Amino acid sequence: GVGGRNGNKVTIREGAEFWFRGYHVFADEVDGDLQPNIFTLRGNVLVVGKDSTINGRKVTVNFDNSTFLANDAETQMSPAMVKGQVKSDLYIKGQESYGSEQNIWTHDGSITSCNLTEPHFHIDSENSEIRPGRRAILRNAKFNLFGHTIANVPYLSIPLDDRTYQYLPQVGRSDDEGTFIKTRYPIPLPGGNGFDSRVDYMSKLGTGLGGDYRYFNKNMNGVARLYTITGADDTFTMNNDHRQTFKWGTLTLNNDFQQNNYLTAPGSQILNTRAQLAFP
């Protein structure tokens, strides 16, 4: 590049590449201040760290505290940085992004684990906060699959810790389902109850919709699950586990209904029910 240093000021034009504080940096233009090590990078910006990468039109980096402000940028976070159950890189795009390795905020952005230039799926949101190893919070979120919005939710919270379940979309392929994307997102309800809504797409079977409703109070608790697939072969499953305490004892109910379940009951209907009473 063309430029130089004047005291603490650094200016580079016509392309720059340098290493600084463990980061490999590329940009068309650089304006930097070595006190306190704040650099503004413009044009084809790429900042490569150990576990994350930022690229965009304009990025300002404070190398002393590892914070950044980016415009029209994408942040790539490796599983080592995100941790938890995430097994692939996360790609976070936004009109404006800022933060550090502890928190990343994005306005008018999207998140996906698909590494294609035009990802098969992504979750768009007006505002999001990514807390690596803890949680991703998206507000006014839209699930986009193959260029079509399939669901809208006002608030989406995705755990990024070591819990055994995950709310990140699952993408894959199987003999029964074909290419699939499966999404699950939680909706908090009053009284501590909760509802996990499911929206799936399977190329061989069609669209799957359903949810799990968990409820409890001082006298009863349980979970009710519903799931249906509309497509070449309609599938419907329903099951419920319920436990209720009375003055005279405890009642436990287990119900399971399967209609044309492509895994366990193709072309048939199955109903299983069990009731158990326990007396003091």
Side-chain angles (χ1 to χ4, degrees), residues 133-169:
R134 293 176 291 168
R135 187 170 298 275
I137 299 172
L138 298 88
R139 293 174 172 83
N140 294 324
K142 298 179 180 179
F143 286 85
N144 190 290
L145 176 64
F146 299 118
H148 300 284
T149 299
I150 60 174
N152 295 270
V153 291
Y155 178 88
L156 176 62
S157 178
I158 305 174
L160 298 176
D161 54 18
D162 289 321
R163 304 179 197 187
T164 56
Y165 60 86
Q166 59 179 343
Y167 288 106
L168 284 176

Side-chain angles (χ1 to χ4, degrees), residues 51-55 74-78 81 89-92:
D51 296 317
S52 62
T53 300
I54 303 170
N55 62 72
E74 177 181 89
T75 304
Q76 178 181 347
M77 305 169 67
S78 73
M81 181 176 177
D89 290 353
L90 283 185
Y91 301 87
I92 305 163

Side-chain angles (χ1 to χ4, degrees), residues 200-215:
D200 304 336
Y201 173 77
M202 294 152 283
S203 62
K204 286 187 177 181
L205 300 176
T207 301
L209 301 172
D212 301 344
Y213 172 56
R214 294 176 173 82
Y215 56 91

Side-chain angles (χ1 to χ4, degrees), residues 242-246 248-253 274-278:
H242 178 85
R243 187 176 187 272
Q244 188 164 354
T245 302
F246 301 91
W248 44 263
T250 301
L251 171 66
T252 302
L253 295 173
R274 183 173 69 92
Q276 179 178 337
L277 292 174

Side-chain angles (χ1 to χ4, degrees), residues 88-137:
S88 58
D89 290 353
L90 283 185
Y91 301 87
I92 305 163
K93 294 182 180 180
Q95 293 295 314
E96 181 182 66
S97 304
Y98 57 93
S100 65
E101 292 186 349
Q102 285 71 47
N103 286 80
I104 296 176
W105 290 269
T106 299
H107 300 306
D108 294 328
S110 68
I111 180 173
T112 183
S113 57
C114 180
N115 62 1
L116 298 177
T117 304
E118 296 293 335
H120 290 159
F121 72 93
H122 50 87
I123 306 174
D124 302 327
S125 64
E126 289 186 8
N127 297 285
S128 67
E129 179 183 359
I130 311 298
R131 306 171 186 173
R134 293 176 291 168
R135 187 170 298 275
I137 299 172

